[in-house]
Amino acid sequence: MSPWSERVITQAKQTPERSWLGEVSAVVLQQALADLNTAYRNFFDSMSGKRHGAKVAPPRFRSRKDNRQAIRFTRNARFQVTAGGKLRLPKIGDVPVRWSRDLPAGPSSVTVVKDAAGRYLASFVIEVAEQPLPSVEPEAGIDLGLSAFAVVSNGRKITAPRFLRRAERKLKRLQRALSRKVKGSNNRAKARLAVARQHAKVADARREFHHQLSTRIVRDNQAIYVEDLAVKGLARTRLAKSVHDAGWSAFVGMLEYKARLYGRTFHRIDRWFPSSKLCSECGVVAESMRLNVREWTCPCGAVHDRDVNAAKNILAAGRAERLNACGAQVRPGPGLAQREEAGSLRGAA
């Protein structure tokens, strides 16, 4: 045990102010220290430039009175799933569980979370092998949007469910009821819980939709190409509520890990690629195109649905980038030969 761990755990348990630390397993406290160490290391690496990506904020400390709480048990804590299907946790006992599915292997750790809606959720870490699906011919370019949640390069449009918008009226009513309650009262706590539960229903429905759609796309396509959207920037515009309601980042993350698990190809297209303004037939790029333009005509005579055209261009760009990365010769698809010829002419000029 390190001196730091001995000081903040072992010695702290002996003081009246920190005696409550003895109510939980020591492994849980060790994991909290490990998480704190990781958070500070990421913060300092981000400040010094060693860590790439967005800047990491300093760690925020949680209170026992927070609405959301979490503890993690590793194998050292000797947690187990009993023969009767209960979760046995040290210093807690046997906890009844409503299993969403059977565990495919023995878990290495379990994290128990109490969310803002008052629900206790158990999340297991399990190592699973890749499960390649049989090869299929189709490949898909996917354009994500708001009018349609996703448009596939084969012309299929997937309607945006808009779970938050559909629950907005009920949420407003619950929020108004919450605002009328006296702070600190039991009625306010009940009203807050009602709001949190409604938000949890919205989040659960959105997650279920993402899972079903991502599984279907990965199963039906050998390769999936998606545009790398600047979600954080879009979330600061007047479309913020609709962007958050769509949940693009969570959906693309599911596509990525499921493609890796099931032996499919997944690739992100650069966000600056002009997928909407590029004609998929002749390769001409329109100078400008307002967001409310949903259909446009190219000078070559081709009439494009904005989203379907973007999905076709994402598919073509993804194939080209993948073949280039493999060192193979790129075979131009529809419109690609004209784009290459136009590029060579501009270079010659």
Side-chain angles (χ1 to χ4, degrees), residues 81-100:
V81 178
T82 66
K86 293 184 178 181
L87 180 61
R88 183 168 294 167
L89 301 174
K91 291 199 174 183
I92 295 177
D94 291 354
V95 180
V97 179
R98 284 187 289 181
W99 297 93
S100 60

Side-chain angles (χ1 to χ4, degrees), residues 78 215 246 294 313:
R78 297 180 181 177
T215 299
R294 310 314 304 173
N313 287 324

Side-chain angles (χ1 to χ4, degrees), residues 176-236:
R176 282 196 299 266
L178 173 62
S179 67
R180 290 193 292 265
K181 300 298 185 289
V182 179
K183 289 188 177 180
S185 66
N186 288 335
N187 284 337
R188 183 178 177 86
K190 293 177 183 177
R192 184 209 62 79
L193 192 60
V195 174
R197 284 174 176 168
Q198 185 61 32
H199 276 292
K201 285 183 180 179
V202 172
D204 290 345
R206 183 187 299 116
R207 190 180 305 110
E208 180 68 12
F209 168 74
H210 287 165
H211 270 299
Q212 291 184 1
L213 180 59
S214 59
T215 299
R216 188 162 63 247
I217 289 175
V218 170
R219 185 188 62 227
D220 296 342
N221 296 278
Q222 187 64 32
I224 301 103
Y225 309 102
V226 182
E227 194 171 13
D228 185 19
L229 295 172
V231 177
K232 188 177 291 187
L234 290 170
R236 291 195 291 264

